Amino acid sequence: MNNQTNGHLPAFRAVITGHGSFAPTKLLTNDELAEMVDTSDEWITTRTGIKVRHITEDNESTAFLATEASKKALAEAKLDGRDLELIIVATITPEMVFPSTASFVQRALKAKKAWVFDLSAACSGFVYGLSIVQQFIESGRLNNALVIGAETLTKITDWTDRASCILFGDGAGAVVLQRKEDGRRGILYSTMHSDGNRWEALNCQAYGSRYPVSRELDDPKKIYMQIKGREVYQQAIRRIVETVKDCLDACDLSIDDLKMLVSHQMNARIIESAAKRLELPDEKVFININEYGNTSAASVPIAFDECVRKGKIKRGDIVLLVAFGAGLTWGANVIEF
Ligand code: UT7
């Protein structure tokens, strides 16, 4: 599905007026992982680009991370929780089965006016969320919204599985989007895709309705994330390349017009291979997986926030956010920041 304006400028644009991120203070290094499973700093670094990841303590939950990132985004937008009309939390590690993680964020931010929900699209959740808000703002139904990507993946990590435990980390990122009438700046284009036939490539199967907590599991590992790394690796490169090309075509942009590709941080080699195929120079590709690992829905907003804070993206620059993950799902947003 594409959110496109077919050459007509919409009356309203969804503009990012605030952004923030938050990661737990506790760190887990590759060397520490090498004491837990048969791996090494050298293997993890060369195969993934990851050096260290942030991990939550027992008392740090997804809603807590989401709220901390949101406070920063709201402060930058000079808005108060009470101003918010919509809160979306993209996550696959929610606070509870129900109510939504977003309900807890709403409570913490005193966002009484907002309607709120969680969005489950794994690593693509944040770009899906921006696309939804884009629709509501462009149609004039919404003045402002908060979109958050927040994860505590280390709580569903199998610390005995070296193929997956080295990959993931915890964190949150958030953006405030506001309706502006200047016609140019804002989300220019969004595209979203899914392929449910490949659900087995990445999953965490218990405890939902298929494997309820009341029934003994045939495989106790079903409570953890399971990945088919090679399949994901190949699909990710293919889908990122085709999605970025689609975005550039749809917006009539060239690589020269693009200031930065902010990709979901799943593996530095995946991002670099996709960038090479797109002939994107290194300085237009942001990578921070070395410090965070893969934080699923949180990874794009954390990377975006860092990119701006490091001065790599400035107001008026064209930025492309792209994500790929479980479902399978993938999607992108083109933003004139
Ligand atoms: O956001 C979406 C979620 N992300 C993903 O699903 C990850 C996508 N996939 C990947 O990033 C890569 O496929 C991995 C990093 C997971 C694996 O890298 P790879 O280059 O695809 O390695 P591989 O799976 O082909 O395994 C190569 C070897 C195997 O040994 P043999 O069979 O060649 O003897 C593995 O057993 O590396 C071994 N291996 C490890 N060795 C040391 C697998 N994990 C490890 C490890 N340390 N942690």
Side-chain angles (χ1 to χ4, degrees):
M1 192 212 147
N2 301 333
N3 297 345
Q4 199 175 357
T5 52
N6 294 324
H8 302 291
L9 281 182
F12 308 114
R13 288 274 196 208
V15 175
I16 295 177
T17 55
H19 49 89
S21 61
F22 181 82
T25 26
K26 189 172 171 188
L27 298 174
L28 180 65
T29 64
N30 291 347
D31 285 334
E32 287 169 313
L33 272 166
E35 288 170 17
M36 296 157 66
V37 287
D38 181 14
T39 190
S40 65
D41 174 48
E42 201 262 333
W43 192 95
I44 301 171
T45 306
T46 52
R47 298 279 179 143
T48 70
I50 302 167
K51 294 298 283 183
V52 67
R53 65 288 289 145
H54 295 251
I55 62 168
T56 39
E57 304 276 6
D58 287 348
N59 64 349
E60 291 176 317
S61 68
T62 301
F64 165 68
L65 303 184
T67 303
E68 293 306 305
S70 300
K71 284 179 189 165
K72 295 182 186 176
L74 281 167
E76 173 150 345
K78 299 190 174 54
L79 283 190
D80 189 85
R82 292 175 185 83
D83 301 316
L84 289 170
E85 295 174 355
L86 167 63
I87 300 172
I88 300 176
V89 179
T91 186
I92 49 167
T93 44
E95 194 79 358
M96 298 179 181
V97 174
F98 69 88
S100 69
T101 313
S103 301
F104 293 93
V105 175
Q106 172 180 35
R107 184 171 190 263
L109 298 177
K110 301 186 173 61
K112 286 187 183 160
K113 258 193 339 198
W115 55 286
V116 311
F117 66 94
D118 284 6
L119 194 165
S120 174
C123 312
S124 310
F126 181 78
V127 299
Y128 272 35
L130 290 194
S131 173
I132 291 167
V133 169
Q134 178 192 358
Q135 293 304 295
F136 277 103
I137 287 187
E138 287 185 2
S139 66
R141 297 286 302 278
L142 203 64
N143 291 302
N144 65 56
L146 180 66
V147 180
I148 308 159
E151 302 285 10
T152 51
L153 296 171
T154 63
K155 294 186 196 275
I156 56 165
T157 296
D158 178 358
W159 295 108
T160 66
D161 175 18
R162 70 175 183 173
S164 66
C165 75
I166 53 123
L167 293 172
F168 300 103
D170 301 332
V175 298
V176 172
L177 291 137
Q178 288 184 265
R179 187 166 100 181
K180 300 282 178 196
E181 294 173 32
D182 65 8
R184 242 168 42 89
R185 246 166 18 95
I187 303 178
L188 307 181
Y189 177 75
S190 295
T191 181
M192 294 166 290
H193 304 273
S194 305
D195 178 4
N197 288 322
R198 291 187 186 268
W199 73 269
E200 280 179 292
L202 272 165
N203 60 65
C204 178
Q205 297 184 33
Y207 290 106
S209 59
R210 187 179 291 195
Y211 300 107
V213 72
S214 54
R215 200 187 313 151
E216 198 176 330
L217 294 171
D218 54 344
D219 174 3
K221 298 268 184 197
K222 283 197 166 89
I223 60 170
Y224 300 120
M225 278 183 288
Q226 295 182 324
I227 65 162
K228 293 185 179 164
R230 268 284 123 186
E231 183 179 344
V232 177
Y233 191 97
Q234 283 154 3
Q235 282 288 316
I237 295 173
R238 180 180 153 204
R239 297 306 189 182
I240 289 172
V241 170
E242 88 193 10
T243 305
V244 171
K245 282 183 177 165
D246 162 28
C247 287
L248 295 176
D249 282 354
C251 298
D252 201 16
L253 295 169
S254 72
I255 294 287
D256 289 344
D257 300 315
L258 191 64
K259 185 68 194 281
M260 194 65 71
L261 178 75
V262 180
S263 170
H264 165 49
Q265 308 283 309
M266 74 287 271
N267 182 328
R269 279 163 65 217
I270 293 178
I271 302 170
E272 283 157 5
S273 296
K276 199 167 166 208
R277 286 178 205 197
L278 290 159
E279 297 180 9
L280 264 169
D282 291 351
E283 68 273 14
K284 293 193 177 205
V285 183
F286 188 71
I287 293 184
N288 68 350
I289 193 172
N290 49 317
E291 291 176 55
Y292 292 94
N294 178 345
T295 58
S296 192
S299 111
V300 170
I302 292 174
F304 177 79
D305 183 52
E306 277 207 9
C307 230
V308 181
R309 291 193 192 290
K310 289 185 170 161
K312 291 175 184 286
I313 306 172
K314 299 205 165 49
R315 285 284 168 199
D317 286 341
I318 308 265
V319 187
L320 206 156
L321 311 184
V322 66
F324 174 91
L328 298 175
T329 57
W330 61 102
N333 319 106
V334 182
I335 296 168
E336 184 167 333
F337 181 53

PDB file of all heavy atoms in Angstrom, residues 60-93:
ATOM      1  N   GLU A  60      12.588  -2.680  34.520  1.00  0.00           N
ATOM      2  CA  GLU A  60      12.423  -1.726  33.410  1.00  0.00           C
ATOM      3  C   GLU A  60      11.559  -2.383  32.319  1.00  0.00           C
ATOM      4  O   GLU A  60      11.933  -3.417  31.758  1.00  0.00           O
ATOM      5  CB  GLU A  60      13.793  -1.327  32.844  1.00  0.00           C
ATOM      6  CG  GLU A  60      14.591  -0.488  33.824  1.00  0.00           C
ATOM      7  CD  GLU A  60      16.000  -0.172  33.316  1.00  0.00           C
ATOM      8  OE1 GLU A  60      16.659  -1.084  32.769  1.00  0.00           O
ATOM      9  OE2 GLU A  60      16.437   0.976  33.468  1.00  0.00           O
ATOM     10  N   SER A  61      10.421  -1.772  32.037  1.00  0.00           N
ATOM     11  CA  SER A  61       9.457  -2.362  31.106  1.00  0.00           C
ATOM     12  C   SER A  61       9.407  -1.562  29.812  1.00  0.00           C
ATOM     13  O   SER A  61       9.984  -0.469  29.703  1.00  0.00           O
ATOM     14  CB  SER A  61       8.069  -2.370  31.748  1.00  0.00           C
ATOM     15  OG  SER A  61       7.619  -1.032  31.864  1.00  0.00           O
ATOM     16  N   THR A  62       8.663  -2.099  28.855  1.00  0.00           N
ATOM     17  CA  THR A  62       8.536  -1.428  27.553  1.00  0.00           C
ATOM     18  C   THR A  62       7.874  -0.053  27.696  1.00  0.00           C
ATOM     19  O   THR A  62       8.327   0.930  27.096  1.00  0.00           O
ATOM     20  CB  THR A  62       7.730  -2.323  26.587  1.00  0.00           C
ATOM     21  OG1 THR A  62       8.420  -3.572  26.461  1.00  0.00           O
ATOM     22  CG2 THR A  62       7.611  -1.682  25.213  1.00  0.00           C
ATOM     23  N   ALA A  63       6.820   0.028  28.506  1.00  0.00           N
ATOM     24  CA  ALA A  63       6.135   1.325  28.677  1.00  0.00           C
ATOM     25  C   ALA A  63       7.062   2.352  29.328  1.00  0.00           C
ATOM     26  O   ALA A  63       7.004   3.543  29.005  1.00  0.00           O
ATOM     27  CB  ALA A  63       4.871   1.145  29.508  1.00  0.00           C
ATOM     28  N   PHE A  64       7.924   1.896  30.220  1.00  0.00           N
ATOM     29  CA  PHE A  64       8.879   2.808  30.863  1.00  0.00           C
ATOM     30  C   PHE A  64       9.827   3.401  29.810  1.00  0.00           C
ATOM     31  O   PHE A  64      10.012   4.621  29.735  1.00  0.00           O
ATOM     32  CB  PHE A  64       9.670   2.062  31.950  1.00  0.00           C
ATOM     33  CG  PHE A  64      10.904   2.782  32.407  1.00  0.00           C
ATOM     34  CD1 PHE A  64      10.803   3.967  33.129  1.00  0.00           C
ATOM     35  CD2 PHE A  64      12.172   2.293  32.102  1.00  0.00           C
ATOM     36  CE1 PHE A  64      11.949   4.646  33.543  1.00  0.00           C
ATOM     37  CE2 PHE A  64      13.320   2.963  32.504  1.00  0.00           C
ATOM     38  CZ  PHE A  64      13.206   4.143  33.225  1.00  0.00           C
ATOM     39  N   LEU A  65      10.405   2.545  28.982  1.00  0.00           N
ATOM     40  CA  LEU A  65      11.315   3.040  27.927  1.00  0.00           C
ATOM     41  C   LEU A  65      10.564   3.988  26.994  1.00  0.00           C
ATOM     42  O   LEU A  65      11.069   5.048  26.613  1.00  0.00           O
ATOM     43  CB  LEU A  65      11.893   1.873  27.109  1.00  0.00           C
ATOM     44  CG  LEU A  65      12.658   0.772  27.832  1.00  0.00           C
ATOM     45  CD1 LEU A  65      13.219  -0.238  26.821  1.00  0.00           C
ATOM     46  CD2 LEU A  65      13.801   1.335  28.661  1.00  0.00           C
ATOM     47  N   ALA A  66       9.354   3.585  26.615  1.00  0.00           N
ATOM     48  CA  ALA A  66       8.547   4.386  25.684  1.00  0.00           C
ATOM     49  C   ALA A  66       8.248   5.759  26.276  1.00  0.00           C
ATOM     50  O   ALA A  66       8.330   6.789  25.585  1.00  0.00           O
ATOM     51  CB  ALA A  66       7.238   3.650  25.373  1.00  0.00           C
ATOM     52  N   THR A  67       7.924   5.790  27.553  1.00  0.00           N
ATOM     53  CA  THR A  67       7.582   7.069  28.207  1.00  0.00           C
ATOM     54  C   THR A  67       8.799   7.984  28.261  1.00  0.00           C
ATOM     55  O   THR A  67       8.701   9.191  27.996  1.00  0.00           O
ATOM     56  CB  THR A  67       7.034   6.798  29.632  1.00  0.00           C
ATOM     57  OG1 THR A  67       5.903   5.931  29.521  1.00  0.00           O
ATOM     58  CG2 THR A  67       6.627   8.083  30.324  1.00  0.00           C
ATOM     59  N   GLU A  68       9.945   7.428  28.601  1.00  0.00           N
ATOM     60  CA  GLU A  68      11.159   8.259  28.686  1.00  0.00           C
ATOM     61  C   GLU A  68      11.512   8.864  27.330  1.00  0.00           C
ATOM     62  O   GLU A  68      11.846  10.052  27.233  1.00  0.00           O
ATOM     63  CB  GLU A  68      12.337   7.437  29.230  1.00  0.00           C
ATOM     64  CG  GLU A  68      12.193   7.013  30.671  1.00  0.00           C
ATOM     65  CD  GLU A  68      11.924   8.182  31.616  1.00  0.00           C
ATOM     66  OE1 GLU A  68      12.705   9.140  31.617  1.00  0.00           O
ATOM     67  OE2 GLU A  68      10.903   8.134  32.347  1.00  0.00           O
ATOM     68  N   ALA A  69      11.429   8.073  26.272  1.00  0.00           N
ATOM     69  CA  ALA A  69      11.719   8.609  24.927  1.00  0.00           C
ATOM     70  C   ALA A  69      10.687   9.672  24.553  1.00  0.00           C
ATOM     71  O   ALA A  69      11.020  10.722  23.972  1.00  0.00           O
ATOM     72  CB  ALA A  69      11.707   7.471  23.899  1.00  0.00           C
ATOM     73  N   SER A  70       9.435   9.434  24.918  1.00  0.00           N
ATOM     74  CA  SER A  70       8.351  10.362  24.572  1.00  0.00           C
ATOM     75  C   SER A  70       8.510  11.713  25.255  1.00  0.00           C
ATOM     76  O   SER A  70       8.224  12.755  24.660  1.00  0.00           O
ATOM     77  CB  SER A  70       6.996   9.767  24.961  1.00  0.00           C
ATOM     78  OG  SER A  70       6.797   8.563  24.280  1.00  0.00           O
ATOM     79  N   LYS A  71       8.955  11.682  26.517  1.00  0.00           N
ATOM     80  CA  LYS A  71       9.125  12.955  27.240  1.00  0.00           C
ATOM     81  C   LYS A  71      10.108  13.856  26.488  1.00  0.00           C
ATOM     82  O   LYS A  71       9.913  15.064  26.391  1.00  0.00           O
ATOM     83  CB  LYS A  71       9.646  12.680  28.651  1.00  0.00           C
ATOM     84  CG  LYS A  71       8.587  12.156  29.607  1.00  0.00           C
ATOM     85  CD  LYS A  71       9.250  11.916  30.960  1.00  0.00           C
ATOM     86  CE  LYS A  71       8.326  11.193  31.915  1.00  0.00           C
ATOM     87  NZ  LYS A  71       9.070  10.656  33.068  1.00  0.00           N
ATOM     88  N   LYS A  72      11.163  13.255  25.956  1.00  0.00           N
ATOM     89  CA  LYS A  72      12.158  14.053  25.214  1.00  0.00           C
ATOM     90  C   LYS A  72      11.546  14.605  23.931  1.00  0.00           C
ATOM     91  O   LYS A  72      11.771  15.756  23.566  1.00  0.00           O
ATOM     92  CB  LYS A  72      13.382  13.190  24.880  1.00  0.00           C
ATOM     93  CG  LYS A  72      14.150  12.741  26.102  1.00  0.00           C
ATOM     94  CD  LYS A  72      15.369  11.929  25.684  1.00  0.00           C
ATOM     95  CE  LYS A  72      16.073  11.331  26.877  1.00  0.00           C
ATOM     96  NZ  LYS A  72      17.199  10.476  26.490  1.00  0.00           N
ATOM     97  N   ALA A  73      10.781  13.774  23.223  1.00  0.00           N
ATOM     98  CA  ALA A  73      10.174  14.217  21.969  1.00  0.00           C
ATOM     99  C   ALA A  73       9.163  15.338  22.235  1.00  0.00           C
ATOM    100  O   ALA A  73       9.103  16.339  21.504  1.00  0.00           O
ATOM    101  CB  ALA A  73       9.495  13.041  21.271  1.00  0.00           C
ATOM    102  N   LEU A  74       8.379  15.192  23.297  1.00  0.00           N
ATOM    103  CA  LEU A  74       7.374  16.218  23.631  1.00  0.00           C
ATOM    104  C   LEU A  74       8.055  17.530  24.020  1.00  0.00           C
ATOM    105  O   LEU A  74       7.612  18.613  23.617  1.00  0.00           O
ATOM    106  CB  LEU A  74       6.490  15.732  24.790  1.00  0.00           C
ATOM    107  CG  LEU A  74       5.396  14.740  24.412  1.00  0.00           C
ATOM    108  CD1 LEU A  74       4.803  14.096  25.663  1.00  0.00           C
ATOM    109  CD2 LEU A  74       4.293  15.406  23.595  1.00  0.00           C
ATOM    110  N   ALA A  75       9.144  17.430  24.800  1.00  0.00           N
ATOM    111  CA  ALA A  75       9.846  18.647  25.224  1.00  0.00           C
ATOM    112  C   ALA A  75      10.370  19.396  24.006  1.00  0.00           C
ATOM    113  O   ALA A  75      10.246  20.628  23.909  1.00  0.00           O
ATOM    114  CB  ALA A  75      10.996  18.286  26.157  1.00  0.00           C
ATOM    115  N   GLU A  76      10.915  18.670  23.057  1.00  0.00           N
ATOM    116  CA  GLU A  76      11.439  19.327  21.861  1.00  0.00           C
ATOM    117  C   GLU A  76      10.321  19.968  21.033  1.00  0.00           C
ATOM    118  O   GLU A  76      10.495  21.037  20.453  1.00  0.00           O
ATOM    119  CB  GLU A  76      12.205  18.322  21.018  1.00  0.00           C
ATOM    120  CG  GLU A  76      12.605  18.932  19.709  1.00  0.00           C
ATOM    121  CD  GLU A  76      13.870  18.360  19.159  1.00  0.00           C
ATOM    122  OE1 GLU A  76      14.616  17.684  19.883  1.00  0.00           O
ATOM    123  OE2 GLU A  76      14.106  18.603  17.985  1.00  0.00           O
ATOM    124  N   ALA A  77       9.172  19.309  20.990  1.00  0.00           N
ATOM    125  CA  ALA A  77       8.036  19.865  20.226  1.00  0.00           C
ATOM    126  C   ALA A  77       7.318  20.970  21.005  1.00  0.00           C
ATOM    127  O   ALA A  77       6.383  21.591  20.487  1.00  0.00           O
ATOM    128  CB  ALA A  77       7.043  18.750  19.899  1.00  0.00           C
ATOM    129  N   LYS A  78       7.773  21.187  22.257  1.00  0.00           N
ATOM    130  CA  LYS A  78       7.128  22.156  23.154  1.00  0.00           C
ATOM    131  C   LYS A  78       5.643  21.843  23.327  1.00  0.00           C
ATOM    132  O   LYS A  78       4.778  22.723  23.297  1.00  0.00           O
ATOM    133  CB  LYS A  78       7.341  23.593  22.661  1.00  0.00           C
ATOM    134  CG  LYS A  78       8.806  23.993  22.590  1.00  0.00           C
ATOM    135  CD  LYS A  78       8.984  25.470  22.334  1.00  0.00           C
ATOM    136  CE  LYS A  78      10.418  25.922  22.406  1.00  0.00           C
ATOM    137  NZ  LYS A  78      11.355  25.193  21.539  1.00  0.00           N
ATOM    138  N   LEU A  79       5.353  20.560  23.465  1.00  0.00           N
ATOM    139  CA  LEU A  79       3.975  20.120  23.714  1.00  0.00           C
ATOM    140  C   LEU A  79       3.936  19.408  25.063  1.00  0.00           C
ATOM    141  O   LEU A  79       4.942  18.907  25.554  1.00  0.00           O
ATOM    142  CB  LEU A  79       3.507  19.129  22.645  1.00  0.00           C
ATOM    143  CG  LEU A  79       3.101  19.643  21.264  1.00  0.00           C
ATOM    144  CD1 LEU A  79       2.455  18.514  20.483  1.00  0.00           C
ATOM    145  CD2 LEU A  79       2.173  20.835  21.341  1.00  0.00           C
ATOM    146  N   ASP A  80       2.748  19.350  25.603  1.00  0.00           N
ATOM    147  CA  ASP A  80       2.505  18.644  26.843  1.00  0.00           C
ATOM    148  C   ASP A  80       1.693  17.398  26.512  1.00  0.00           C
ATOM    149  O   ASP A  80       0.968  17.381  25.510  1.00  0.00           O
ATOM    150  CB  ASP A  80       1.673  19.596  27.719  1.00  0.00           C
ATOM    151  CG  ASP A  80       1.526  19.075  29.112  1.00  0.00           C
ATOM    152  OD1 ASP A  80       2.432  19.330  29.917  1.00  0.00           O
ATOM    153  OD2 ASP A  80       0.525  18.391  29.381  1.00  0.00           O
ATOM    154  N   GLY A  81       1.801  16.354  27.330  1.00  0.00           N
ATOM    155  CA  GLY A  81       1.002  15.146  27.099  1.00  0.00           C
ATOM    156  C   GLY A  81      -0.474  15.470  26.910  1.00  0.00           C
ATOM    157  O   GLY A  81      -1.176  14.817  26.128  1.00  0.00           O
ATOM    158  N   ARG A  82      -0.931  16.493  27.632  1.00  0.00           N
ATOM    159  CA  ARG A  82      -2.361  16.854  27.567  1.00  0.00           C
ATOM    160  C   ARG A  82      -2.773  17.326  26.174  1.00  0.00           C
ATOM    161  O   ARG A  82      -3.956  17.343  25.842  1.00  0.00           O
ATOM    162  CB  ARG A  82      -2.680  17.942  28.592  1.00  0.00           C
ATOM    163  CG  ARG A  82      -2.572  17.462  30.025  1.00  0.00           C
ATOM    164  CD  ARG A  82      -2.781  18.606  31.016  1.00  0.00           C
ATOM    165  NE  ARG A  82      -2.551  18.155  32.385  1.00  0.00           N
ATOM    166  CZ  ARG A  82      -1.357  18.065  32.953  1.00  0.00           C
ATOM    167  NH1 ARG A  82      -0.278  18.391  32.275  1.00  0.00           N
ATOM    168  NH2 ARG A  82      -1.232  17.638  34.191  1.00  0.00           N
ATOM    169  N   ASP A  83      -1.812  17.747  25.359  1.00  0.00           N
ATOM    170  CA  ASP A  83      -2.134  18.232  24.000  1.00  0.00           C
ATOM    171  C   ASP A  83      -2.353  17.083  23.023  1.00  0.00           C
ATOM    172  O   ASP A  83      -2.923  17.285  21.948  1.00  0.00           O
ATOM    173  CB  ASP A  83      -0.976  19.078  23.436  1.00  0.00           C
ATOM    174  CG  ASP A  83      -0.669  20.277  24.306  1.00  0.00           C
ATOM    175  OD1 ASP A  83      -1.627  20.931  24.736  1.00  0.00           O
ATOM    176  OD2 ASP A  83       0.530  20.532  24.552  1.00  0.00           O
ATOM    177  N   LEU A  84      -1.870  15.885  23.358  1.00  0.00           N
ATOM    178  CA  LEU A  84      -1.828  14.798  22.356  1.00  0.00           C
ATOM    179  C   LEU A  84      -3.217  14.262  22.016  1.00  0.00           C
ATOM    180  O   LEU A  84      -4.066  14.089  22.894  1.00  0.00           O
ATOM    181  CB  LEU A  84      -0.960  13.642  22.858  1.00  0.00           C
ATOM    182  CG  LEU A  84       0.541  13.914  22.900  1.00  0.00           C
ATOM    183  CD1 LEU A  84       1.268  12.791  23.634  1.00  0.00           C
ATOM    184  CD2 LEU A  84       1.099  14.064  21.480  1.00  0.00           C
ATOM    185  N   GLU A  85      -3.411  13.959  20.730  1.00  0.00           N
ATOM    186  CA  GLU A  85      -4.696  13.416  20.259  1.00  0.00           C
ATOM    187  C   GLU A  85      -4.610  11.924  19.938  1.00  0.00           C
ATOM    188  O   GLU A  85      -5.628  11.257  19.859  1.00  0.00           O
ATOM    189  CB  GLU A  85      -5.154  14.194  19.018  1.00  0.00           C
ATOM    190  CG  GLU A  85      -5.455  15.643  19.341  1.00  0.00           C
ATOM    191  CD  GLU A  85      -5.764  16.468  18.102  1.00  0.00           C
ATOM    192  OE1 GLU A  85      -5.654  15.962  16.975  1.00  0.00           O
ATOM    193  OE2 GLU A  85      -6.106  17.639  18.276  1.00  0.00           O
ATOM    194  N   LEU A  86      -3.406  11.427  19.672  1.00  0.00           N
ATOM    195  CA  LEU A  86      -3.226  10.007  19.338  1.00  0.00           C
ATOM    196  C   LEU A  86      -1.841   9.545  19.799  1.00  0.00           C
ATOM    197  O   LEU A  86      -0.857  10.269  19.622  1.00  0.00           O
ATOM    198  CB  LEU A  86      -3.348   9.826  17.810  1.00  0.00           C
ATOM    199  CG  LEU A  86      -2.903   8.479  17.215  1.00  0.00           C
ATOM    200  CD1 LEU A  86      -3.759   7.328  17.721  1.00  0.00           C
ATOM    201  CD2 LEU A  86      -2.964   8.515  15.681  1.00  0.00           C
ATOM    202  N   ILE A  87      -1.784   8.349  20.385  1.00  0.00           N
ATOM    203  CA  ILE A  87      -0.490   7.735  20.736  1.00  0.00           C
ATOM    204  C   ILE A  87      -0.469   6.328  20.147  1.00  0.00           C
ATOM    205  O   ILE A  87      -1.362   5.524  20.415  1.00  0.00           O
ATOM    206  CB  ILE A  87      -0.290   7.638  22.267  1.00  0.00           C
ATOM    207  CG1 ILE A  87      -0.322   9.022  22.923  1.00  0.00           C
ATOM    208  CG2 ILE A  87       1.033   6.929  22.585  1.00  0.00           C
ATOM    209  CD1 ILE A  87      -0.312   8.984  24.457  1.00  0.00           C
ATOM    210  N   ILE A  88       0.548   6.056  19.336  1.00  0.00           N
ATOM    211  CA  ILE A  88       0.737   4.701  18.803  1.00  0.00           C
ATOM    212  C   ILE A  88       2.060   4.176  19.359  1.00  0.00           C
ATOM    213  O   ILE A  88       3.097   4.844  19.241  1.00  0.00           O
ATOM    214  CB  ILE A  88       0.810   4.707  17.258  1.00  0.00           C
ATOM    215  CG1 ILE A  88      -0.484   5.261  16.645  1.00  0.00           C
ATOM    216  CG2 ILE A  88       1.081   3.291  16.734  1.00  0.00           C
ATOM    217  CD1 ILE A  88      -0.446   5.387  15.125  1.00  0.00           C
ATOM    218  N   VAL A  89       2.019   2.989  19.955  1.00  0.00           N
ATOM    219  CA  VAL A  89       3.271   2.339  20.370  1.00  0.00           C
ATOM    220  C   VAL A  89       3.489   1.128  19.467  1.00  0.00           C
ATOM    221  O   VAL A  89       2.711   0.167  19.493  1.00  0.00           O
ATOM    222  CB  VAL A  89       3.252   1.893  21.843  1.00  0.00           C
ATOM    223  CG1 VAL A  89       4.573   1.199  22.190  1.00  0.00           C
ATOM    224  CG2 VAL A  89       3.032   3.080  22.773  1.00  0.00           C
ATOM    225  N   ALA A  90       4.520   1.174  18.660  1.00  0.00           N
ATOM    226  CA  ALA A  90       4.913   0.027  17.834  1.00  0.00           C
ATOM    227  C   ALA A  90       5.806  -0.856  18.687  1.00  0.00           C
ATOM    228  O   ALA A  90       6.844  -0.397  19.185  1.00  0.00           O
ATOM    229  CB  ALA A  90       5.645   0.511  16.594  1.00  0.00           C
ATOM    230  N   THR A  91       5.387  -2.112  18.866  1.00  0.00           N
ATOM    231  CA  THR A  91       6.178  -3.019  19.708  1.00  0.00           C
ATOM    232  C   THR A  91       5.784  -4.471  19.464  1.00  0.00           C
ATOM    233  O   THR A  91       4.637  -4.751  19.108  1.00  0.00           O
ATOM    234  CB  THR A  91       6.004  -2.684  21.218  1.00  0.00           C
ATOM    235  OG1 THR A  91       6.899  -3.485  21.984  1.00  0.00           O
ATOM    236  CG2 THR A  91       4.589  -2.898  21.710  1.00  0.00           C
ATOM    237  N   ILE A  92       6.737  -5.382  19.677  1.00  0.00           N
ATOM    238  CA  ILE A  92       6.412  -6.816  19.724  1.00  0.00           C
ATOM    239  C   ILE A  92       6.726  -7.373  21.114  1.00  0.00           C
ATOM    240  O   ILE A  92       6.643  -8.586  21.341  1.00  0.00           O
ATOM    241  CB  ILE A  92       7.168  -7.632  18.646  1.00  0.00           C
ATOM    242  CG1 ILE A  92       8.659  -7.309  18.647  1.00  0.00           C
ATOM    243  CG2 ILE A  92       6.534  -7.439  17.284  1.00  0.00           C
ATOM    244  CD1 ILE A  92       9.510  -8.283  17.857  1.00  0.00           C
ATOM    245  N   THR A  93       7.103  -6.471  22.022  1.00  0.00           N
ATOM    246  CA  THR A  93       7.341  -6.878  23.410  1.00  0.00           C
ATOM    247  C   THR A  93       6.500  -5.964  24.312  1.00  0.00           C
ATOM    248  O   THR A  93       7.044  -5.132  25.040  1.00  0.00           O
ATOM    249  CB  THR A  93       8.840  -6.774  23.767  1.00  0.00           C
ATOM    250  OG1 THR A  93       9.368  -5.533  23.248  1.00  0.00           O
ATOM    251  CG2 THR A  93       9.627  -7.929  23.212  1.00  0.00           C
TER     252      THR A  93
END
